[in-house]
Amino acid sequence: MSANVAAAAKSAPASGETPAISVKDLRKCFGDHEVLKGISLEAHKGDVISILGSSGSGKSTMLRCINLLETPDSGEVRVDGELIKMKQGRDGHQMPADIRQVERIRANLAMVFQSFNLWSHMTVLENLVAAPTHVLKRPRAECLEQAEALLKRVGIWERRNYYPPHMSGGQQQRAAIARALAMNPKVMLFDEPTSALDPELVGEVLRVMRSLAEEGRTMLVVTHEMGFARDVSSKVMFLHRGEVDSVGEPKEMFARPPTPQFKQFIANFNK
Amino acid sequence: MDFDFYLSTMWSVLKALPLTLEIWFFGIAFGLLIATGLTWMRASGYKLGEYFTRGYVFIFRGSPLLVQLYLIYFGLSQFDFVRHSPVLWPILRDPMYCTIVAMALNTAAYESEIFRGALRAVPVGQIEAAKAFGMSAFTRFRLVTLPIALRLALPAYSTEIILMTKATALASVVTIMEMMGTAQKIQHDTFRPIEVLTCAGVIYLLLNLSIARLFAWVEYRLSPHLRPPPEQSQQIKPVPEVL
Amino acid sequence: MEFLNDLRDQVSTAYALLAAGWGVQLLWGIAWTLAVTIVSMLIGAVLGSLVAAAKLSHRGGLRFIGESYTTVFRGEPELLIIYLFYYGGTQVLTGVARSTGSIGSTDILNMPSFLGGVLAVGIISGAYQAEVFRGSFLAIHRGELEAARAYGMSAWLRFRLVIVPQVLRLAVPGLGNVWQLTIKDSALISVTGVAELMLTANKAARSTHHSLLFYTLAGILYLVMTSVSTPIFEKAERYTSRSFMRPK
Ligand SMILES: Nc1ncnc2c1ncn2[C@@H]1O[C@H](COP(=O)(O)OP(=O)(O)OP(=O)(O)O)[C@@H](O)[C@H]1O
Ligand SMILES: [Mg+2]
């Protein structure tokens, strides 16, 4: 029931509302290899956008350009309407003009990595508290309280004093999601959050992600989980060789693939 | 066996332990300072800094500490400006200070390489995560890079500290009466080198073993995440003998 | 300008001193340093492989001996070991000679300084080599040993065909480090009067009062020796691991 309400809210974004994320004509080369050839994307509040594409199509690079882990060569990224200012570096490449601004924006865009990247010398609880206290400067007690609540939500509260290497992949990824949630982010970026997991651990992580989608979080999810893309997301975007091949409503896209490339892509998956 | 002789030798050498520890401590402390500077220069990304540290490491690791000590103690005093400098001369005419300077310069070369390696070994993913959460460069370094790198550097650093304990013995060749110098004197006076050097050897060995223990303890305390988790170690129960 | 004149004076003094015989002396010093290092490395290789085998043994007693060896000889100041072999050797030789009556009761039979020196440096080198060999052995792929057993190779055959070549290959970089360490340790035996490079530089510095010149020269010569050995060991590494590289 609630899922339906949320889905209804998602499918009808108020026109004129500033998008949570808007990317225009993003380009990126590594050496002479052009990985992103002009990508544009808009995510409104409550959107869950699944980004699909075969390996090497530039999905990760796109996501990493949004929070400036990679510096785009050209194009613009806006978060909540705010343009990330760029300037010309000495070597001719673009670079962020104001690193403070980038840091402030990154704090609003929590990222969940394929390989978790939990800080291995901190316990799970410390992982959840580190950024909120040091970046957002929130009081420690409050952060701890929130962290415990989040860990209960993702079901690993009993492991709060464990170090990441002592947990299973699924538990680590759930801890990483909780760490992202602890920032109260405006948008969550997921880069193949289940790809490093054993098949039997994928479900527990997807369940958490589905519940986040249902509560109306804005999410960009790079994934190879077709089920998630079709059933949970509000929009599917298919990247092919660094370009947006097709975008659309998931049921529609999967039922009637708009391009031969996308058709081929899902055909390979269903094999 | 002449038990009294062993005891009195042991005691005489032990009385020189504070001097050995003094050289050791100051050598290590100044060495750490220089090494930190070198590591920073190397990591700063400036070509000049990189070339300087490379050259520094090449020179101080490639030649014996004894040559470095002689060069500092005997060689530098050939410069008029050294002998007339109110700052340098009091340091460079004193064999004890010279030993400390030589040790510090020498160990800094090895330590800067240890630190460089440790910094490079910090998993990039964890630094990236810190970036992605909006941490500033300084916060990132303080909360993530430094704690991880320090733990990684600890084993090699402790080895280097033990090498420094051994290096203090070189002070004896420039007339300092630390433990080795004292042992040398007793041995010359009594012509019983085996007994005397065994006594000194026992003390040096105990000293180094304690240092190694101390570092192992620090490492253990700092790395709970590298140990097996709590229950797992309880699960591994000894196999009952009946089996 | 004055500085240039000064420098020219320095260079011509240096040249004169070297031409007056110190140059040849230094060359002899290098030769002795290399001799000491090579002999010490060989002694160390024999001791090191035995100690490594002891440390890897299933027998607790042997393991304890191996562990003690490496702990003691890596934990003691090198100078102390050198004194122990030189002066201790003299003490033992004198004692034996006096009791057999081959020297008078007040005479002293000195330990030959070269022998004392290479024994001491060799034993220290052995402790470090033992660690290198042990590490290399542990790094051999277990599966390869199992395969050798599965094909019915005897212990000796396994040792000769699988273990030795692999240990040698894996040990080369580590041995390169020990070699450099041993060159540097060899400078310490100048205290017992072996006329290697360090002692030669010492003598020259004392008798000419040009310590800066001679210690700098010695430093440079040590640098040359340690850095020339790097490409040699790299070549050796390429040679011993040729079967592990892709064909060109
Ligand atoms: N730092 C880098 N330096 C050079 N090339 C890179 C770098 N990062 C990515 N690439 C290249 O860019 C291309 C796109 O990489 P990207 O990681 O974005 O692909 P992806 O779609 O995420 O693929 P996957 O599904 O395998 O994660 C690849 O060809 C990759 O080799
Ligand atoms: Mg990727």
Side-chain angles (χ1 to χ4, degrees):
Chain A
M1 191 56 207
S2 69
N4 281 344
V5 175
K10 270 182 277 179
S11 54
S15 57
E17 182 202 342
T18 40
I21 292 217
S22 114
V23 173
K24 275 209 195 85
D25 203 27
L26 202 62
R27 287 168 194 276
K28 174 76 185 172
C29 300
F30 288 114
D32 50 7
H33 175 29
E34 194 174 16
V35 176
L36 298 181
K37 303 170 184 166
I39 301 254
S40 299
L41 159 96
E42 223 168 67
H44 289 270
K45 199 162 178 315
D47 274 352
V48 176
I49 302 184
S50 286
I51 298 154
L52 307 179
S54 48
S55 184
S57 55
K59 308 178 297 289
S60 302
T61 308
M62 183 194 91
L63 216 55
R64 293 161 57 82
C65 279
I66 292 177
N67 65 359
L68 272 293
L69 283 182
E70 301 287 356
T71 317
D73 294 338
S74 68
E76 58 173 59
V77 175
R78 282 173 197 271
V79 175
D80 239 0
E82 182 182 351
L83 177 71
I84 301 184
K85 292 190 291 276
M86 303 296 280
K87 68 178 182 198
Q88 207 70 19
R90 257 180 303 174
D91 54 353
H93 284 284
Q94 261 202 157
M95 55 183 278
D98 177 6
I99 191 70
R100 286 281 128 71
Q101 184 203 22
V102 170
E103 283 161 10
R104 187 163 42 78
I105 283 176
R106 278 174 180 165
N108 284 320
L109 304 173
M111 187 174 221
V112 176
F113 298 84
Q114 178 174 355
S115 48
F116 331 132
N117 292 346
L118 290 166
W119 297 306
S120 58
H121 60 299
M122 301 180 190
T123 62
V124 171
L125 207 53
E126 287 164 353
N127 261 283
L128 263 67
V129 171
T133 52
H134 288 100
V135 177
L136 305 176
K137 312 271 186 234
R138 281 164 45 197
R140 194 177 165 79
E142 182 193 311
C143 295
L144 274 171
E145 201 175 314
Q146 187 201 13
E148 298 219 16
L150 287 171
L151 288 175
K152 277 188 189 131
R153 170 166 181 194
V154 299
I156 50 169
W157 181 78
E158 300 75 32
R159 309 253 149 173
R160 65 196 177 287
N161 290 324
Y162 273 51
Y163 288 93
H166 295 161
M167 305 196 304
S168 75
Q171 290 168 339
Q172 289 191 50
Q173 195 58 298
R174 282 184 284 153
I177 294 175
R179 174 173 73 168
L181 287 170
M183 297 294 282
N184 300 325
K186 293 205 174 93
V187 179
M188 298 183 76
L189 310 175
F190 292 82
D191 190 2
E192 302 196 28
T194 53
S195 297
L197 300 179
D198 292 339
E200 73 269 22
L201 301 178
V202 169
E204 60 191 50
V205 172
L206 284 182
R207 256 195 309 282
V208 170
M209 289 173 62
R210 182 186 282 261
S211 83
L212 292 177
E214 281 166 2
E215 69 180 34
R217 300 235 172 215
T218 318
M219 298 158 63
L220 297 188
V221 186
V222 171
T223 186
H224 288 300
E225 292 297 328
M226 291 306 140
F228 182 90
R230 191 177 51 220
D231 304 335
V232 182
S233 51
S234 57
K235 214 193 235 180
V236 166
M237 177 171 163
F238 176 62
L239 288 192
H240 184 66
R241 303 212 174 134
E243 283 173 303
V244 183
D245 178 84
S246 43
V247 188
E249 209 271 325
K251 305 266 170 359
E252 189 64 27
M253 288 270 285
F254 280 95
R256 280 177 291 279
T259 61
Q261 287 84 358
F262 187 55
K263 188 170 186 170
Q264 178 71 39
F265 178 75
I266 32 183
N268 282 344
F269 254 93
N270 293 336
K271 256 195 286 196
Chain B
M1 262 215 328
D2 187 352
F3 201 66
D4 279 350
F5 179 71
Y6 277 100
L7 265 187
S8 71
T9 306
M10 207 65 141
W11 180 238
S12 311
V13 176
L14 264 181
K15 275 193 291 193
L17 176 64
L19 192 56
T20 291
L21 288 180
E22 203 179 323
I23 301 171
W24 180 79
F25 176 80
F26 285 108
I28 288 169
F30 289 122
L32 184 58
L33 277 181
I34 303 170
T36 312
L38 288 171
T39 312
W40 178 77
M41 253 200 262
R42 183 81 195 253
S44 68
Y46 289 108
K47 275 277 171 256
L48 201 66
E50 188 191 324
Y51 291 141
F52 177 80
T53 33
R54 270 169 187 268
Y56 184 97
V57 168
F58 173 72
I59 288 173
F60 282 95
R61 288 205 312 187
S63 59
L65 178 54
L66 190 61
V67 177
Q68 293 158 21
L69 175 59
Y70 279 161
L71 197 53
I72 290 168
Y73 183 48
F74 297 115
L76 290 186
S77 58
Q78 297 234 299
F79 288 113
D80 280 337
F81 79 88
V82 169
R83 256 172 308 158
H84 295 143
S85 156
V87 185
L88 290 177
W89 189 228
I91 297 176
L92 292 178
R93 71 162 178 229
D94 185 318
M96 163 111 170
Y97 291 153
C98 282
T99 312
I100 291 173
V101 169
M103 279 175 52
L105 291 174
N106 183 271
T107 191
Y110 290 89
E111 285 174 19
S112 74
E113 287 289 285
I114 294 173
F115 297 155
R116 186 172 71 94
L119 283 176
R120 280 159 50 122
V122 176
V124 260
Q126 295 187 31
I127 300 177
E128 254 186 6
K131 264 189 205 168
F133 278 75
M135 289 187 192
S136 65
F138 178 72
T139 310
R140 219 150 64 210
F141 184 73
R142 187 168 61 91
L143 291 185
V144 180
T145 315
L146 187 65
I148 297 179
L150 281 184
R151 285 163 171 84
L152 290 174
L154 212 50
Y157 186 74
S158 71
T159 308
E160 184 53 31
I161 296 303
I162 285 171
L163 289 180
M164 280 293 100
T165 320
K166 306 200 296 175
T168 58
L170 286 188
S172 65
V173 300
V174 287
T175 71
I176 302 293
M177 295 303 276
E178 40 63 77
M179 294 207 294
M180 193 69 231
T182 310
Q184 267 281 75
K185 184 176 178 309
I186 303 174
Q187 159 207 319
H188 271 296
D189 294 348
T190 60
F191 191 54
R192 294 167 75 171
I194 297 183
E195 291 93 325
V196 176
L197 292 170
T198 306
C199 287
V202 168
I203 298 174
Y204 274 112
L205 199 61
L206 289 178
L207 182 58
N208 269 340
L209 287 177
S210 339
I211 295 171
R213 262 294 154 79
L214 185 71
F215 270 99
W217 179 78
V218 172
E219 208 183 315
Y220 179 83
R221 290 308 304 267
L222 285 181
S223 326
H225 57 296
L226 303 179
R227 299 203 286 271
E231 322 101 307
Q232 196 176 313
S233 52
Q234 283 159 19
Q235 275 169 11
I236 305 169
K237 296 212 173 78
V239 182
E241 269 174 351
V242 280
L243 289 180
Chain C
M1 210 53 223
E2 195 192 331
F3 171 75
L4 277 183
N5 281 332
D6 212 37
L7 190 71
R8 208 174 49 220
D9 285 353
Q10 296 277 346
V11 171
S12 58
T13 330
Y15 182 77
L17 286 170
L18 290 178
W22 287 114
V24 178
Q25 294 266 352
L26 284 176
L27 286 180
W28 274 111
I30 293 179
W32 276 108
T33 289
L34 288 177
V36 169
T37 309
I38 290 169
V39 176
S40 303
M41 278 300 276
L42 292 177
I43 296 175
V46 174
L47 287 172
S49 35
L50 291 177
V51 171
K55 287 181 81 154
L56 290 163
S57 153
H58 296 293
R59 305 255 293 272
L62 279 178
R63 254 198 335 267
F64 178 77
I65 294 174
E67 292 293 338
S68 313
Y69 181 97
T70 49
T71 308
V72 169
F73 291 107
R74 292 188 313 154
E76 295 288 359
E78 296 81 0
L79 210 51
L80 189 141
I81 310 286
I82 290 168
Y83 285 141
L84 189 65
F85 274 84
Y86 181 62
Y87 294 114
T90 302
Q91 186 182 5
V92 170
L93 286 181
T94 305
V96 171
R98 279 183 192 168
S99 62
T100 57
S102 45
I103 59 171
S105 62
T106 54
D107 293 338
I108 287 178
L109 183 55
N110 268 318
M111 179 79 175
S113 55
F114 182 83
L115 181 64
V118 293
L119 279 179
V121 177
I123 281 172
I124 298 168
S125 177
Y128 288 96
Q129 289 190 49
E131 295 295 342
V132 172
F133 290 138
R134 195 181 74 100
S136 313
F137 178 80
L138 292 176
I140 298 180
H141 203 289
R142 293 296 104 180
E144 294 188 21
L145 286 178
E146 227 157 64
R149 208 173 284 131
Y151 281 89
M153 286 191 195
S154 67
W156 167 244
L157 219 49
R158 286 202 301 274
F159 180 74
R160 195 163 64 85
L161 293 183
V162 183
I163 297 179
V164 170
Q166 293 266 29
V167 166
L168 278 185
R169 168 179 78 93
L170 294 165
V172 171
L175 287 180
N177 289 338
V178 179
W179 164 261
Q180 300 206 345
L181 202 83
T182 308
I183 289 184
K184 290 186 273 173
D185 281 351
S186 78
L188 293 174
I189 72 169
S190 59
V191 296
T192 67
V194 177
E196 44 67 76
L197 183 54
M198 187 74 237
L199 187 70
T200 313
N202 252 334
K203 278 187 192 151
R206 298 254 158 85
S207 60
T208 65
H209 297 289
H210 280 86
S211 20
L212 184 63
L213 170 70
F214 282 105
Y215 290 132
T216 308
L217 266 179
I220 292 173
L221 291 174
Y222 277 112
L223 276 179
V224 169
M225 282 191 279
T226 49
S227 51
V228 159
S229 52
T230 310
I232 296 178
F233 274 92
E234 272 166 9
K235 203 157 196 172
E237 191 181 349
R238 271 203 298 281
Y239 178 77
T240 49
S241 57
R242 62 201 180 287
S243 67
F244 299 86
M245 292 187 296
R246 286 164 205 221
K248 288 217 186 82

